[in-house]
Amino acid sequence: MDWLERTAKLRQWTRNGARAPHKPLLLLYALGRFQEDADSELRYSAVEKDLLRLLAEYGPPNRTTPAYPFHHLISDGVWEVRTAHGHGSPGSGPRDLRESGATGRLVPELRDALRREPLLLHRVARALLELHFPPSLHSELCEAVGLDLEPAATERLSAARRQRDRRMRELVLTAYEYRCAFCGYDGRIGTVPVGLEAAHVRWWAFDGPDDVDNGLCLCSLHHKLFDKGVLGVDDGHRILVSQRFVGHSPAARGQVTALAGRPLLGPQPGSRPVAAGHRSWHTRQVFHGDPRPAAQT
């Protein structure tokens, strides 16, 4: 059985490019726990808070429950649930899962395969990360679920996969004249830009193209905050700052909250600005909550 292919094709609710990372997050969490203790079971009542935190931090802006993937991941053939009454899930209701003492874990066949071939865990985890999350979040997400991945195990899916256009970074940085579109940072070591990155507005994992009008030149800090939904871009090409962001230090206020309402820096004349469809996707699927009012100058 091709476990890599099976985990890469999890059944997910999808409509108009909506993100539904519930099952991938649960599976990554289960892989982290398997790596720690291959025989452990995950009691829903014990892991519910962990899964809620993962969904709040890495899921879409709308509120959701981890009970949904805990029950529905069974249908993908990689997960099983038991209760005090035996095999099978009591349903997708949080209360039912708690009161029945429901526990979940990877199916025996997958556990056996992971034991026989330790690198399979790394390949499955890397595939889930690539398919559902931007690269800027991979390392911290692994840390959040307790996964320790080997750099040598980063092989990509062999199935039909789009290839990234390596020219995008240079094209986007050129369009924004090698400065962060949010704060203007333009650091270099000699002639080489340092700390500047080409951010996808609509994530590559969700069919975001490697085009200039789907990119922003951002410094490393603002790229991470953009991908975490702290920052966004409105229809007037001004910076959105989430009301959910809290920071009291001068650095937090100056580098984040003070950006609210500021116009983007760039792109230069003749370069295409971020397309409306990509801005809309990011606002709906990544940006958290309502935006702050424009900062007073």
Side-chain angles (χ1 to χ4, degrees):
M1 183 176 296
D2 190 340
W3 292 107
L4 184 61
E5 182 177 0
R6 176 168 289 193
T7 54
K9 294 181 178 179
L10 299 176
R11 300 170 186 172
Q12 295 174 273
W13 183 90
T14 179
R15 181 183 298 169
N16 298 326
R19 294 176 59 217
H22 311 70
K23 288 181 178 180
L25 283 170
L26 173 58
L27 193 48
L28 285 167
Y29 184 82
L31 290 172
R33 295 294 291 268
F34 179 89
Q35 194 174 50
E36 179 184 350
D37 180 0
D39 296 316
S40 66
E41 292 185 330
L42 306 182
R43 183 175 292 273
Y44 181 79
S45 59
V47 302
E48 184 178 21
K49 287 185 178 179
D50 283 351
L51 298 176
L52 277 169
R53 175 179 52 80
L54 288 172
L55 284 169
E57 192 162 356
Y58 300 102
N62 54 299
R63 294 187 181 276
T64 186
T65 170
Y68 172 86
F70 203 93
H71 168 74
H72 287 286
L73 189 59
I74 297 171
S75 65
D76 294 282
V78 298
W79 179 254
E80 64 177 10
V81 174
R82 295 174 181 269
T83 68
H85 304 293
H87 214 62
S89 171
S92 60
R95 182 175 178 179
D96 293 334
L97 289 167
R98 294 189 206 106
E99 293 182 350
S100 65
T103 61
R105 63 177 179 175
L106 305 174
V107 295
E109 298 85 354
L110 177 53
R111 299 200 306 272
D112 290 344
L114 294 172
R115 289 188 180 97
R116 288 194 308 270
E117 188 183 352
L119 285 182
L120 177 61
L121 182 147
H122 302 264
R123 292 197 294 269
V124 168
R126 289 291 181 188
L128 290 169
L129 290 168
E130 285 190 16
L131 287 167
H132 302 285
F133 305 97
S136 67
L137 301 183
H138 290 183
S139 294
E140 69 170 70
L141 186 46
C142 284
E143 184 176 347
V145 299
L147 272 171
D148 183 14
L149 298 186
E150 295 289 340
T154 59
E155 64 186 65
R156 297 181 182 274
L157 290 172
S158 58
R161 292 276 285 135
R162 294 187 300 137
Q163 295 296 313
R164 293 177 184 270
D165 187 342
R166 296 183 180 182
R167 299 172 301 171
M168 181 185 176
R169 180 178 184 275
E170 185 65 25
L171 292 172
V172 170
L173 266 60
T174 298
Y176 286 85
E177 301 182 280
Y178 292 86
R179 63 177 179 173
C180 176
F182 287 173
C183 70
Y185 169 83
D186 60 355
R188 297 172 180 262
I189 294 179
T191 60
V192 180
V194 60
L196 286 173
E197 301 164 358
H200 282 76
V201 179
R202 184 185 180 113
W203 293 355
W204 192 84
F206 286 83
D207 298 322
D210 288 330
D211 296 335
V212 170
D213 66 1
N214 186 40
L216 286 170
C217 176
L218 297 177
C219 66
S220 299
L221 171 64
H222 290 132
H223 187 178
K224 175 64 69 69
L225 295 177
F226 187 66
D227 284 346
K228 292 293 286 283
V230 172
L231 300 174
V233 179
D234 70 11
D235 291 341
H237 298 273
R238 291 181 176 272
I239 301 169
L240 299 174
V241 178
S242 173
Q243 289 184 353
R244 297 181 186 176
F245 175 81
V246 177
H248 301 293
S249 67
R253 292 197 298 268
Q255 291 294 319
V256 185
T257 54
L259 298 177
R262 286 187 188 176
L264 290 180
L265 301 173
Q268 62 177 290
S271 296
R272 290 174 295 166
V274 178
H278 303 323
R279 292 197 312 272
S280 175
W281 182 90
H282 186 275
T283 301
R284 289 182 288 106
Q285 299 300 324
V286 181
F287 187 75
H288 279 278
D290 295 321
R292 291 171 174 264
Q296 298 296 318
T297 58

